[in-house]
Amino acid sequence: MFKIFNKPHPFIFNTYSIVIPGMAAFLIILLLAPFQFQEIEILQRSLYALLIALFVSASIFFTVKLLQKLFPAFMKEDNWTIGREVLLFLMVIFLIVLGIFASIFFTYTGNESIVQLFLKTTFFTVCISFFPIVILVLFEQYRQQKIQFNRAQKLTETLKAENEKLQSETIQYAISANQIQLKAENGKVALQLFPSEIICLQSDGNYVDVFYEVDKVVTKKLIRNRLKNLEETLTTSNFFRCHHRFMVNGNYITKVEGNARNLELTLRGIEFKIPVSRAKVKDVSSFLQTLKKSS
């Protein structure tokens, strides 16, 4: 269960995140009239539905904005997970429950105790909120999936147009460029390669795996050092830090794929896909354009 909650999840907060739950709550109360709403006349029910819809939308907006201001580290997009998404929804629902309970409490004339009234309000609110939340999640997932797919398709088309040109110029680039010395933590040279021979670097704490290609043979070398230190050596425009654990050579990118969570890069000679950090997604397009111009 904890593994599921720790899985990455896209943090999506836009106009739809505010409007859709409010509209869904309005239509549910007005048309379906759950619980005791069917006993209220249509005009009065419409007013109740509108007020509740506005309160739902306002609760979502101010909850997210307040959390972003008070807990910026918790609300950081790169760290967003399924568990945090669920927690955010629970917090919003709790605030909605408190608001509705407060409005009912000051006008309530029945015989129920405060506890019974609160539990009843919570039950009704959770039941009504369930469908707007499901609708919102499905809509946002579909929309994000479509955005990422279109972005990946566009980037892949750019790569296809330039890939042959980049590969044909690799040999010439290798001859003209100076070799780079990749040093270990103790200062000793662990690898000496042309920039064009380096495919990517993968960090694992104090160690970095360097994937490189010489005479069409891909090799992996483990170096005791941090990726941040090696990054300072790779100063040419061909290299891109796409993730906190990965740095890639743009000349080896053959395909860009995307889903609702993130983008992934396919590199020539590498079997696994390279993730793109959510904070770096917008930079991929600019990097490829720069790479295209420099070629």
Side-chain angles (χ1 to χ4, degrees):
M1 181 63 70
F2 289 105
K3 289 183 178 180
I4 296 176
F5 285 144
N6 286 327
K7 284 188 176 181
H9 186 80
F11 178 80
I12 307 171
F13 182 67
N14 49 37
T15 305
Y16 296 108
S17 306
I18 301 170
V19 173
I20 289 180
M23 288 181 60
F26 176 81
L27 293 174
I28 288 173
I29 295 173
L30 180 64
L31 301 178
L32 300 181
F35 310 117
Q36 297 178 347
F37 283 103
Q38 70 272 14
E39 300 175 2
I40 304 175
E41 294 182 0
I42 188 66
L43 290 178
Q44 189 176 4
R45 189 196 309 163
S46 300
L47 180 60
Y48 274 122
L50 179 60
L51 292 175
I52 291 176
L54 291 174
F55 181 73
V56 167
S57 296
S59 298
I60 295 172
F61 177 80
F62 287 110
T63 299
V64 173
K65 290 297 182 182
L66 185 62
L67 288 173
Q68 287 177 332
K69 186 174 182 179
L70 296 179
F71 308 102
F74 176 83
M75 298 296 290
K76 192 174 180 181
E77 291 186 28
D78 279 351
N79 299 331
W80 203 247
T81 61
I82 293 176
R84 296 189 182 191
E85 184 79 1
V86 172
L87 182 60
L88 178 60
F89 278 125
L90 291 177
M91 292 178 66
V92 171
I93 292 175
F94 179 71
L95 289 177
I96 293 173
V97 168
L98 290 180
I100 295 176
F101 173 73
S103 64
I104 294 175
F105 177 75
F106 291 108
T107 58
Y108 185 67
T109 56
N111 297 322
E112 292 178 313
S113 65
I114 295 177
V115 175
Q116 290 176 322
L117 181 62
F118 179 77
L119 292 176
K120 187 176 181 180
T121 303
T122 302
F123 175 74
F124 287 169
T125 303
V126 170
C127 290
I128 293 174
S129 300
F130 176 78
F131 293 102
I133 288 175
V134 171
I135 292 171
L136 174 63
V137 170
L138 292 177
F139 175 81
E140 288 185 337
Q141 288 289 328
Y142 169 77
R143 185 171 178 272
Q144 188 70 10
Q145 181 83 21
K146 189 174 181 181
I147 290 173
Q148 293 285 58
F149 177 79
N150 291 336
R151 179 183 287 150
Q153 285 290 98
K154 186 176 180 180
L155 293 175
T156 300
E157 288 174 5
T158 302
L159 283 170
K160 286 181 179 178
E162 296 297 319
N163 195 45
E164 291 184 4
K165 183 179 179 181
L166 289 172
Q167 289 187 41
S168 65
E169 293 177 353
T170 299
I171 298 175
Q172 182 180 355
Y173 174 75
I175 295 173
S176 61
N178 294 323
Q179 286 189 318
I180 293 176
Q181 292 183 341
L182 297 178
K183 298 181 180 180
E185 200 172 44
N186 58 10
K188 293 183 178 180
V189 177
L191 273 175
Q192 185 165 317
L193 300 165
F194 289 109
S196 60
E197 294 174 333
I198 301 173
I199 303 174
C200 70
L201 289 81
Q202 179 180 6
S203 171
D204 186 11
N206 293 327
Y207 293 87
V208 174
D209 279 319
V210 180
F211 295 83
Y212 59 96
E213 183 181 43
V214 177
D215 296 330
K216 297 184 179 181
V217 177
V218 176
T219 309
K220 180 175 72 172
K221 172 74 173 180
L222 182 66
I223 299 177
R224 182 179 175 84
N225 206 336
R226 290 186 173 275
L227 181 57
K228 182 179 179 181
N229 298 331
L230 297 179
E231 181 182 0
E232 297 174 357
T233 306
L234 305 174
T235 56
T236 67
S237 59
N238 297 72
F239 293 95
F240 177 58
R241 182 76 177 268
C242 63
H243 191 273
H244 71 276
R245 293 188 60 224
F246 290 93
M247 189 167 189
V248 300
N249 185 339
N251 289 345
Y252 284 87
I253 302 175
T254 59
K255 188 177 182 181
V256 182
E257 297 176 288
N259 53 41
R261 294 179 183 175
N262 53 22
L263 291 179
E264 292 180 329
L265 306 177
T266 299
L267 303 185
R268 189 177 73 253
I270 301 297
E271 296 181 355
F272 58 91
K273 290 179 170 48
I274 308 295
V276 177
S277 172
R278 276 173 276 182
K280 296 285 187 177
V281 166
K282 294 180 180 179
D283 297 331
V284 175
S285 179
S286 300
F287 168 70
L288 292 178
Q289 289 297 327
T290 303
L291 189 66
K292 178 179 176 181
K293 291 176 183 178
S294 64
S295 64

